Amino acid sequence: MSKQQKTFDLTQLKGKIAIVTGAGNNGIGWGLCKHAAGHLGMHVVAMDLHKNLVDSAQARLRSAYPEVKVLGIECDVTKPDQLAAALISIETYFSDLEIGAVFANAGIFFHKTILKSSIEDWSATLNVNVIGVINTIKAFLPKMQLSKNDSIFCTTASVGGLVRGDGGTASYQASKHAVVSLTESLSFEIASRSPQIRVHVLCPCIVESALLRNSKTNAKEQSGEIAAKDIEPSSIETNDFAMTTESHAQQVFDLIAANKFYIITDNVRPYVEHDYPFEALAIVSERMENMLDLTLDNSGAFPKKSGDVKTATLTGAMFREAQKRNPQSSK
Ligand SMILES: NC(=O)c1ccc[n+]([C@@H]2O[C@H](COP(=O)([O-])OP(=O)(O)OC[C@H]3O[C@@H](n4cnc5c(N)ncnc54)[C@H](O)[C@@H]3O)[C@@H](O)[C@H]2O)c1
């Protein structure tokens, strides 16, 4: 059995650095920072687009976890020079401490059909979600390869990167399918030369965050409609079924410890307190069955009754229960 197939002892991450992109808006990245510092004793680098976001993350993490070192870094993952500068800041601030984990987590999402998405929407989505992940790999992986000690490199895709393309989410899903594929390639590329680096792709289902709102805010800042200095960390949005970022981070590290490559974080107990899972694996299987049959089941595009949602993805127990509780929500 190669090292890549063995379980991972998380205690070896204590005292090492966790680098998390897209950590400044109280979403998935923020949960990973808190878990790394609070449960694993890791030093933390919280990176995000705007100074206010990283200053706030840095201050809150330093206050909550005084026993570890914390650094907030303003960094646009679409800009390789900013990631190179981030690595220099990390080496300077943490001196000879080693990188234990990198989470290439920054992402954006616009909910529009292909025809209604502008080319700018597509470019922005692919640039952040795909090129941003590649830039993050290129910035940090060579440094990690210099160490013989075990470490983690985890990209964030989505369950949307594993299932059939759905209505209104084409640019997002195309980008996330690319992240799944490039992370599989990364695993193959370094498996024999750098087996000490465990590669994982995170595919969340429904986690509390303000992803859509943050994506719109960042687009407005880029078009000059609002100033970066006015952007504050987001309050998160929740629903009855979403995982908290804390429970989500727990599941991520549980699956890393179990050495799962596809970290599919379904909304299941004990990580949520309800019995309505997203049913990610069943929906992924449907895509596989379609492919083996050389067909595409697009029957979801023809709702059975008025009010039903046109979807191939939002079909599991969680979504059925949400529809039952609030039939108006999808109209
Ligand atoms: N929340 C969910 O249910 C869910 C489900 C599947 C996948 N995801 C993925 O999880 C990741 C985190 O999303 P989240 O839901 O926590 O939302 P979030 O908005 O809190 O996190 C995304 C972060 O990325 C940052 N960002 C955007 N562009 C950037 C850039 N160019 N450089 C640096 N940072 C940038 C944003 O400012 C934001 O803080 C994303 O990749 C998202 O696609 C989330």
Side-chain angles (χ1 to χ4, degrees):
M1 185 192 280
S2 93
K3 200 169 183 179
Q4 295 284 334
Q5 273 111 44
K6 290 185 189 148
T7 54
F8 186 89
D9 176 8
L10 294 175
T11 60
Q12 65 191 306
L13 295 175
K14 188 174 166 60
K16 297 197 176 148
I17 307 166
I19 300 172
V20 186
T21 69
N25 270 310
N26 297 311
I28 286 173
W30 173 244
L32 292 169
C33 287
K34 285 197 293 182
H35 192 96
H39 292 260
L40 301 175
M42 299 185 79
H43 306 292
V44 170
V45 179
M47 292 168 62
D48 213 305
L49 260 185
H50 310 299
K51 187 168 175 353
N52 286 350
L53 305 184
V54 295
D55 284 355
S56 166
Q58 176 181 282
R60 288 182 288 149
L61 288 165
R62 282 184 181 171
S63 152
Y65 309 105
E67 61 286 359
V68 301
K69 290 181 165 188
V70 175
L71 183 64
I73 302 183
E74 181 186 351
C75 176
D76 182 341
V77 296
T78 68
K79 309 251 164 64
D81 56 330
Q82 293 192 15
L83 280 155
L87 178 60
I88 292 169
S89 303
I90 292 165
E91 287 170 337
T92 307
Y93 185 78
F94 293 96
S95 181
D96 53 359
L97 293 177
E98 278 191 17
I99 298 173
V102 174
F103 290 92
N105 170 71
I108 56 174
F109 174 40
F110 300 112
H111 193 266
K112 293 180 190 171
T113 62
I114 294 175
L115 290 182
K116 286 186 180 156
S117 301
S118 64
I119 287 304
E120 289 72 25
D121 294 331
W122 275 91
S123 302
T125 304
L126 296 174
N127 221 2
V128 177
N129 294 5
V130 184
I131 304 298
V133 170
I134 295 166
N135 286 336
T136 308
I137 295 169
K138 283 176 165 287
F140 297 123
L141 197 81
K143 168 95 181 165
M144 295 163 79
Q145 287 180 303
L146 296 177
S147 169
K148 293 281 165 270
N149 294 323
D150 287 356
S151 60
I152 307 291
F153 202 107
C154 183
T155 62
T156 301
S158 166
V159 67
L162 298 169
V163 300
R164 277 166 288 173
D166 212 6
T169 56
S171 59
Y172 184 74
Q173 280 196 256
S175 73
K176 295 301 187 176
H177 274 263
V179 174
V180 171
S181 172
L182 75 87
T183 311
E184 290 167 342
S185 295
L186 179 66
S187 179
F188 266 78
E189 284 176 12
I190 68 168
S192 104
R193 194 153 55 99
S194 306
Q196 76 277 22
I197 304 172
R198 309 297 184 94
V199 179
H200 305 267
V201 60
L202 170 55
C203 300
C205 292
I206 301 287
V207 184
E208 291 180 343
S209 82
L211 178 61
L212 199 53
R213 178 154 39 91
N214 296 333
S215 305
K216 286 181 186 161
T217 302
N218 290 336
K220 282 186 187 165
E221 190 272 327
Q222 251 134 50
S223 68
E225 271 181 75
I226 52 174
K229 67 175 178 43
D230 296 327
I231 298 177
E232 296 293 337
S234 278
S235 55
I236 49 160
E237 290 155 12
T238 187
N239 66 43
D240 294 348
F241 307 102
M243 240 183 286
T244 64
T245 59
E246 289 84 1
S247 297
H248 181 258
Q250 179 69 57
Q251 192 178 8
V252 170
F253 280 101
D254 287 350
L255 291 171
I256 286 175
N259 198 26
K260 300 298 181 192
F261 173 82
Y262 300 99
I263 303 186
I264 300 176
T265 48
D266 206 331
N267 300 52
V268 291
R269 289 181 189 273
Y271 306 103
V272 292
E273 291 181 7
H274 63 71
D275 292 307
Y276 304 104
F278 189 92
E279 295 186 334
L281 292 182
I283 302 165
V284 173
S285 303
E286 283 172 19
R287 178 171 194 258
M288 295 300 161
E289 282 159 21
N290 275 200
M291 290 171 85
L292 293 173
D293 194 37
L294 312 184
T295 58
L296 176 68
D297 176 4
N298 63 4
S299 56
F302 304 94
K304 291 187 189 65
K305 55 181 192 309
S306 142
D308 280 356
V309 176
K310 293 182 185 179
T311 180
T313 307
L314 304 176
T315 55
M318 192 179 107
F319 182 70
R320 293 195 300 275
E321 180 63 17
Q323 279 279 92
K324 220 188 290 168
R325 291 185 195 184
N326 186 8
Q328 297 302 315
S329 65
S330 54
K331 285 191 180 168

